[in-house]
């Protein structure tokens, strides 16, 4: 069901790869709610995914950009404002990658070149995106910037590896830049701490299927799906959440506040 929550609003969506991506689902929902946007991803990621299908479905244009490259980001922001006809109302940062995870390196045996690359892509890129938007005065008043995170930033999940550190940094950037964006531009910045979700990136984490089942048993409402996250993101892009900023918002069916569930107790009592 659509409510026209984003009618007349325009923005940029980073990270749509395929139909399993949260960014993909969000783009579909934003389109349904009347928003228009530019899609962007790194050139190498675009060759792997089906972003052209999403662009066709949502009547969107694609601008390839490496989110770690400041020149690419400046070009992306300038072109997006030209295409969309003015300042931006929303931006979604849905980017994450760990070379250590991909290469099977344990947290206690990191390759630090891999670590630095993953931090740049997954976390520092969020600062680079916002700094580009800020310096270009590209955001409309009461605009909304959202990044996706995970509660491994607060609690330890052994196989999440250095992505946990990246997410902790990402959340700190949201708070720090959120202060300046709010004070000086009336723009809000938040992160959504989503349930484990079977996206292409998420499934690269060792033991992911077991953990998603555990989270389902632990969460009173069950895991939040990619579609659920898209709906929540739309609410944060809308005018209904104008005074929500600098927050890390848990969207996980109650997992983050549950010590133990009866289902988990029953499982260990067998």
């Amino acid at each position: 069901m659509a409510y026209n929550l984003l009618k007349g609003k325009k923005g940029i969506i980073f990270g749509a790869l395929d139909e399993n991506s949260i960014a993909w689902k969000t783009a579909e929902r934003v389109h349904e709610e009347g928003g228009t946007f530019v899609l962007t991803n790194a050139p190498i990621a675009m060759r792997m995914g089906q972003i052209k299908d999403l662009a066709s479905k949502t009547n969107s244009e694609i601008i390839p950009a490496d989110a770690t490259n400041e020149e690419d980001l400046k070009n992306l922001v300038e072109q997006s404002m030209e295409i969309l006809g003015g300042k931006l109302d929303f931006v979604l940062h849905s980017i994450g990658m760990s070379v250590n995870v991909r290469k099977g390196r344990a947290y206690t045996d990191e390759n630090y070149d891999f670590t630095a690359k993953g931090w740049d892509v997954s976390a520092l890129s969020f600062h680079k995106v916002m700094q580009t938007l800020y310096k270009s005065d590209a955001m409309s008043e009461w605009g909304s910037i959202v990044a996706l995170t995970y509660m491994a930033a607060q609690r330890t999940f052994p196989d999440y590896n250095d992505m946990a550190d990246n997410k902790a940094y990402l959340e700190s950037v949201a708070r720090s830049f959120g202060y300046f964006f709010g004070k000086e531009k009336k723009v809000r910045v938040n992160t959504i701490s989503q349930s484990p979700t079977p996206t292409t990136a998420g499934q690269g984490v060792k033991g992911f299927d077991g953990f998603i089942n555990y989270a389902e048993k632990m969460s009173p409402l069950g895991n939040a799906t990619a579609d659920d996250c898209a709906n929540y993101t739309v609410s944060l892009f809308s005018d209904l959440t104008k005074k929500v900023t600098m927050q890390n918002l848990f969207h996980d069916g109650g997992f983050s506040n549950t010590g133990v569930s009866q289902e988990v107790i029953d499982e260990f009592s067998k």
Side-chain angles (χ1 to χ4, degrees):
M1 185 181 293
Y3 305 91
N4 274 332
L5 286 175
L6 303 180
K7 186 177 181 181
K9 294 190 181 295
K10 40 197 180 289
I12 302 174
I13 294 177
F14 286 80
L17 182 67
D18 56 37
E19 60 185 9
N20 295 316
S21 306
I22 292 174
W24 184 293
K25 302 290 189 184
T26 301
E28 291 178 329
R29 284 294 291 120
V30 169
H31 177 66
E32 289 169 4
E33 292 294 341
T36 55
F37 47 85
V38 164
L39 295 165
T40 186
N41 212 326
I44 188 170
M46 290 178 61
R47 290 197 292 272
M48 295 163 51
Q50 299 97 41
I51 194 171
K52 289 181 181 177
D53 296 337
L54 179 62
S56 176
K57 182 177 181 179
T58 59
N59 299 316
S60 304
E61 293 201 35
I62 304 168
I63 302 175
D66 177 351
T68 68
N69 185 297
E70 292 174 76
E71 199 58 43
D72 276 14
L73 289 173
K74 185 178 178 184
N75 176 64
L76 169 66
V77 170
E78 288 175 354
Q79 282 196 45
S80 296
M81 287 195 291
E82 285 180 21
I83 290 166
L84 298 169
K87 291 187 178 184
L88 309 173
D89 301 294
F90 60 85
V91 174
L92 175 65
H93 179 284
S94 181
I95 306 170
M97 183 275 296
S98 167
V99 186
N100 281 307
V101 169
R102 286 184 180 178
K103 299 289 187 180
R105 299 293 293 256
Y107 188 75
T108 52
D109 184 35
E110 286 190 13
N111 175 311
Y112 293 121
D113 289 335
F114 293 170
T115 304
K117 179 63 176 175
W119 168 71
D120 196 13
V121 171
S122 305
L124 188 61
S125 67
F126 190 39
H127 192 286
K128 291 178 180 178
V129 167
M130 288 199 285
Q131 183 166 288
T132 303
L133 294 165
Y134 184 88
K135 287 185 173 181
S136 302
D137 194 24
M139 296 295 296
S140 300
E141 278 200 357
W142 304 110
S144 176
I145 301 170
V146 172
L148 298 181
T149 186
Y150 183 56
M151 71 172 300
Q154 288 85 31
R155 299 186 190 176
T156 300
F157 298 92
D159 294 322
Y160 204 63
N161 209 302
D162 58 337
M163 277 301 297
D165 302 332
N166 295 337
K167 293 301 189 185
Y169 187 93
L170 179 92
E171 292 175 18
S172 180
V173 168
R175 288 187 294 272
S176 297
F177 225 122
Y179 173 83
F180 294 103
F181 246 135
K183 197 78 175 170
E184 298 171 29
K185 309 278 189 180
K186 292 290 187 290
V187 172
R188 55 206 197 269
V189 181
N190 296 288
T191 53
I192 296 175
S193 189
Q194 168 69 3
S195 293
T197 310
T199 61
T200 301
Q203 289 172 328
V205 177
K206 181 182 174 186
F208 185 80
D209 288 342
F211 181 64
I212 208 169
N213 291 333
Y214 169 74
E216 179 72 23
K217 289 181 182 296
M218 276 284 289
S219 308
L221 297 180
N223 289 332
T225 66
D227 287 311
D228 293 330
C229 190
N231 285 328
Y232 193 35
T233 305
V234 163
S235 76
L236 289 173
F237 286 165
S238 79
D239 291 337
L240 299 177
T241 51
K242 274 188 171 183
K243 294 299 177 76
V244 180
T245 195
M246 299 166 63
Q247 302 300 310
N248 179 47
L249 301 160
F250 289 101
H251 184 249
D252 58 9
F255 180 93
S256 51
N257 272 335
T258 302
V260 69
S261 68
Q262 188 61 49
E263 288 86 348
V264 169
I265 291 172
D266 292 344
E267 192 70 29
F268 281 95
S269 299
K270 289 180 180 177

